[in-house]
Amino acid sequence: MSNKVEKVEAKPFLAMLLQYSRDNHYNHIVFNVRLNRNPAYTRQVLSISLKRISKKFGNDERAYATMTAEEGSQILALMNTLKEEMFANTAEKIIWQTDILTRSTQEFGYRQIRERDQYNNLEFEVLL
């Protein structure tokens, strides 16, 4: 048996997440990394949830995916790269271009909810 951690590929996952949220009219994607303090094992967990705030389609909030932070490290690295590019260009929004998306370009905002704390917890939001 292999002890190698299966990592989620960042670009296809993010493209799928953005497409799903767009198709179902979700306008907030919340990424949350928290330390799981289960006495049996201690690990960081990445939770991704979708939120819709809309008068036309109604309000809704649902969990999209949960994985260990180790498995989702490529997703967090991609989001960090996109965020750094946005701040480097002093832009208001992130513009991500890839052939994986059906519309090839996606524009979204970034908002930090909580900075890394002593337990390395982190929370940020993507605004579509």
Side-chain angles (χ1 to χ4, degrees), residues 14 17 20 35 47 76 82 87 96 105 108 122:
L14 185 59
L17 175 63
Y20 179 84
L35 184 66
S47 301
L76 294 172
L82 294 172
F87 288 136
W96 187 46
T105 302
F108 53 90
L122 169 72

Side-chain angles (χ1 to χ4, degrees), residues 74-127:
Q74 290 182 0
I75 299 165
L76 294 172
L78 175 62
M79 290 304 299
N80 194 40
T81 303
L82 294 172
K83 176 188 75 165
E84 287 174 356
E85 286 176 12
M86 179 189 77
F87 288 136
N89 297 330
T90 62
E92 295 286 322
K93 295 193 173 219
I94 296 171
I95 298 173
W96 187 46
Q97 294 180 330
T98 181
D99 295 334
I100 302 170
L101 286 167
T102 54
R103 51 193 172 281
S104 75
T105 302
Q106 175 71 48
E107 185 176 292
F108 53 90
Y110 176 89
R111 185 174 77 91
Q112 190 79 32
I113 297 172
R114 179 182 23 189
E115 296 288 334
R116 290 193 183 274
D117 61 8
Q118 64 190 19
Y119 300 110
N120 217 14
N121 294 337
L122 169 72
E123 191 171 9
F124 62 90
E125 186 173 42
V126 170
L127 309 168

Side-chain angles (χ1 to χ4, degrees), residues 17 21 26-32 46-52 60-66 123-126:
L17 175 63
S21 59
Y26 288 99
N27 47 12
H28 299 263
I29 303 171
V30 179
F31 291 81
N32 188 344
L46 169 63
S47 301
I48 301 169
S49 59
L50 303 172
K51 194 179 348 177
R52 176 176 51 222
D60 189 22
E61 189 171 341
R62 67 181 56 197
Y64 183 78
T66 302
E123 191 171 9
F124 62 90
E125 186 173 42
V126 170

